[in-house]
Amino acid sequence: MSHHKNHKFIFYWDIFISLLATFAAIEIPFGLVMHYNTPIWLRCVDQMVTICFILDIYIRFRSPVHHGKPPHHSGAERKKYLKGWLLIDILASIPFDIFVLMIGNNTGLSALRLFRLLKVLRIISFRSVWLNSINSNPVFVRLSFFFYFLGLTAHWASCGWLAIRGLHYPLVPAEAYVGRLNEYVRALYWSVTTITTIGYGDITPDKTKSMQMLFTMGVQLIGAGAYGYIIGNIANMLTNIDMAKARHQERVDRMNSFMKSKKIPQHLQEQVYQYYNYLWETRKGYNDETILSELPESFRFEFAMLLNRSIIEKVPLFKGADQNLVREVIFKLRPCIYIPGDAICVSGEIGDKMYFINKGSVEVTSQDGKQVYAVLKEGDFFGEIALLMKQPRNATIRASDYCDLYSLDKESFDDVVTNYPAFEKHIKNMAKERMQ
Ligand code: CMP
């Protein structure tokens, strides 16, 4: 079997084992308290479960997994298995039902069948596998596991309740089955109202029987714990469904209280909000640059290529330019946003960047803003004269729209012009035209 196929097989095998474990976890306690005569098909299933659980020990030993993947060190994983899970897996696969058949029905021996329930612990190891898989929704996974175990606990609690209280209906007449089933439903009703801390109190422990009261308290504590978990986590999980939005809102809130505490003038605050809104609408609150900086160097280049390709296609200056130049520039471009009215360059200042317009438009004006020399749009660039001629900005640039720009810093620009003389010539010609 190839590595990949083997991995797939293990995945489905794990699901299969989990289903069997769930079945056993439901049937065994139920059978123990109901004392029904196990039908032959159930016996067969039980034997099959035993065989599969034993096979499972072999499979787990042969191909250990770590977080659902083949581990780097099979040996280390194997040792870990021998030390931890092996005991649980062995206890869960001992066929106590066969001993019961051989020795005769004996409550103590039958109760040993409950060791099977240990196998549901296996399902917990799935949680991390599914949480880490790419196309699963973590909130959904967490909630499913929570409700799965809550359901099992409710079932176990009602079986325990029946075991302690005893059943009223006798076994013999066939009609009694309905009565017994009804008793189970009543017990389930009790355990659900207790676990959910609703506690109607219409079914309560007999106050003269300590065992019943102790058991009830135990279930109440589990209920309180589960309730705490819900309050603590589920609300949090639900807000996290839209994590990007929540994170963005948090940033806005933080900035808001900062600006209030520093008494930033109202109109500036207004502008900051506009900026954040635009950031949310255009890029869901993510700032490309911070995201990129989290990635290892090797991915960063490819990401930058993907994210910045549109700008390269828009700017005529890059059309027909050397591919190496494009690759070099693309990696150095930094996205930035301006809101209407922002001064991007101010005439007479020292310039250390040039800009490419990805979206929006800007006005090229005199310093006082009275004279408009030009309007630049998507695909245009500006700010090159200061870098090329090593002189102050010769005009003021104001955003007349929401602007998505890419900036290229002086150092990178200098690198590019020295390495690609044809490009330098081209951009110099355009600059000369503008300066006239
Ligand atoms: P720089 O001098 O660095 O800063 C102001 C920028 O405005 C300048 O570079 C040019 O990119 C741009 N600019 C100046 N004059 C014109 C013009 N007449 N038409 C278009 N763009 C201009």
Side-chain angles (χ1 to χ4, degrees):
M1 240 190 284
S2 79
H3 210 54
H4 181 70
K5 261 197 190 140
N6 190 20
H7 174 201
K8 262 245 143 88
F9 165 74
I10 299 269
F11 178 79
Y12 289 115
W13 173 257
D14 272 352
I15 290 182
F16 175 64
I17 289 292
S18 304
L19 288 177
L20 289 186
T22 306
F23 171 78
I26 292 170
E27 197 276 324
I28 290 174
F30 191 69
L32 283 177
V33 292
M34 288 293 172
H35 296 296
Y36 47 67
N37 283 323
T38 318
I40 200 81
W41 68 268
L42 246 182
R43 292 233 162 97
C44 294
V45 174
D46 234 356
Q47 300 321 315
M48 193 188 92
V49 171
T50 304
I51 294 168
C52 291
F53 280 10
I54 291 173
L55 254 179
D56 184 48
I57 296 179
Y58 172 74
I59 288 176
R60 289 249 266 172
F61 186 73
R62 273 295 306 276
S63 10
V65 286
H66 183 64
H67 288 306
K69 294 179 192 71
H72 296 300
H73 282 289
S74 299
E77 268 329 292
R78 224 166 252 163
K79 246 189 212 148
K80 244 187 3 205
Y81 177 66
L82 288 180
K83 275 195 194 150
W85 282 94
L86 181 65
L87 183 66
I88 290 174
D89 280 349
I90 288 178
L91 282 177
S93 30
I94 300 176
F96 286 107
D97 47 321
I98 293 183
F99 303 152
V100 174
L101 274 183
M102 287 191 316
I103 298 171
N105 214 339
N106 161 313
T107 328
L109 192 57
S110 300
L112 288 178
R113 291 183 63 206
L114 290 175
F115 275 124
R116 280 268 143 99
L117 306 199
L118 286 173
K119 203 77 177 178
V120 292
L121 291 177
R122 171 64 164 284
I123 294 170
I124 295 174
S125 64
F126 259 129
R127 216 180 98 109
S128 65
V129 175
W130 277 330
L131 278 178
N132 291 330
S133 95
I134 290 173
N135 33 23
S136 73
N137 179 342
V139 176
F140 179 74
V141 173
R142 285 206 183 96
L143 283 179
S144 315
F145 274 86
F146 176 71
F147 283 113
Y148 172 82
F149 280 103
L150 197 65
L152 269 191
T153 309
H155 172 69
W156 290 338
S158 48
C159 290
W161 178 248
L162 284 179
I164 289 171
R165 292 248 311 215
L167 285 139
H168 301 309
Y169 283 85
L171 227 196
V172 196
E175 314 89 74
Y177 277 118
V178 181
R180 284 167 161 251
L181 212 56
N182 190 27
E183 269 188 288
Y184 169 74
V185 175
R186 275 172 61 86
L188 192 62
Y189 166 81
W190 168 84
S191 77
V192 170
T193 48
T194 310
I195 286 181
T196 54
T197 74
I198 289 168
Y200 286 126
D202 48 352
I203 302 178
T204 53
D206 183 341
K207 303 295 184 303
T208 60
K209 306 242 165 69
S210 324
M211 202 51 206
Q212 287 192 19
M213 307 234 286
L214 286 172
F215 187 74
T216 304
M217 286 193 286
V219 176
Q220 280 169 344
L221 286 179
I222 292 173
Y227 193 69
Y229 180 86
I230 294 188
I231 298 294
N233 285 303
I234 307 235
N236 187 9
M237 283 184 209
L238 291 180
T239 44
N240 278 355
I241 286 180
D242 197 350
M243 210 146 73
K245 178 89 202 184
R247 185 125 33 98
H248 180 72
Q249 194 55 48
E250 195 185 295
R251 269 167 77 193
V252 175
D253 290 348
R254 203 170 42 201
M255 183 50 78
N256 186 12
S257 58
F258 173 78
M259 292 191 301
K260 293 250 148 66
S261 75
K262 298 283 178 196
K263 303 209 168 52
I264 303 291
Q266 199 64 36
H267 72 275
L268 265 180
Q269 291 193 24
E270 238 11 91
Q271 283 183 332
V272 171
Y273 290 135
Q274 281 176 16
Y275 164 75
Y276 274 119
N277 273 339
Y278 185 74
L279 197 64
W280 174 253
E281 274 162 26
T282 53
R283 38 189 92 166
K284 292 282 164 263
Y286 287 118
N287 183 339
D288 291 2
E289 197 156 346
T290 40
I291 295 274
L292 279 184
S293 69
E294 282 172 17
L295 286 172
E297 199 80 44
S298 51
F299 297 136
R300 240 183 270 171
F301 182 72
E302 249 174 273
F303 265 64
M305 283 297 265
L306 284 170
L307 295 173
N308 299 349
R309 204 176 40 211
S310 69
I311 182 68
I312 295 295
E313 282 159 6
K314 270 181 205 164
V315 178
L317 183 65
F318 291 128
K319 285 247 173 77
D322 190 324
Q323 276 308 300
N324 290 328
L325 175 148
V326 169
R327 282 170 72 87
E328 207 167 300
V329 168
I330 219 170
F331 197 45
K332 304 271 170 65
L333 291 176
R334 297 282 171 260
C336 46
I337 289 175
Y338 289 92
I339 62 172
D342 274 353
I344 305 165
C345 301
V346 175
S347 174
E349 279 187 354
I350 307 291
D352 60 351
K353 284 189 191 90
M354 71 168 293
Y355 299 87
F356 299 91
I357 305 178
N358 188 28
K359 254 188 234 153
S361 60
V362 300
E363 275 180 349
V364 183
T365 67
S366 57
Q367 195 171 14
D368 54 13
K370 284 192 178 132
Q371 258 180 305
V372 177
Y373 303 132
V375 173
L376 301 178
K377 294 209 163 58
E378 215 172 287
D380 287 332
F381 60 89
F382 58 86
E384 79 292 3
I385 294 177
L387 303 189
L388 272 175
M389 311 298 171
K390 308 208 180 341
Q391 65 176 46
R393 300 282 192 208
N394 78 350
T396 291
I397 307 271
R398 220 170 258 287
S400 45
D401 225 339
Y402 281 101
C403 287
D404 246 331
L405 307 180
Y406 281 92
S407 68
L408 182 69
D409 64 52
K410 184 173 160 49
E411 210 176 307
S412 313
F413 178 84
D414 287 345
D415 277 350
V416 172
V417 264
T418 39
N419 290 335
Y420 301 92
F423 179 77
E424 185 186 18
K425 211 168 147 202
H426 190 172
I427 200 168
K428 251 193 181 142
N429 285 341
M430 293 180 82
K432 270 188 195 135
E433 244 169 67
R434 283 175 169 181
M435 283 161 75
Q436 278 158 16

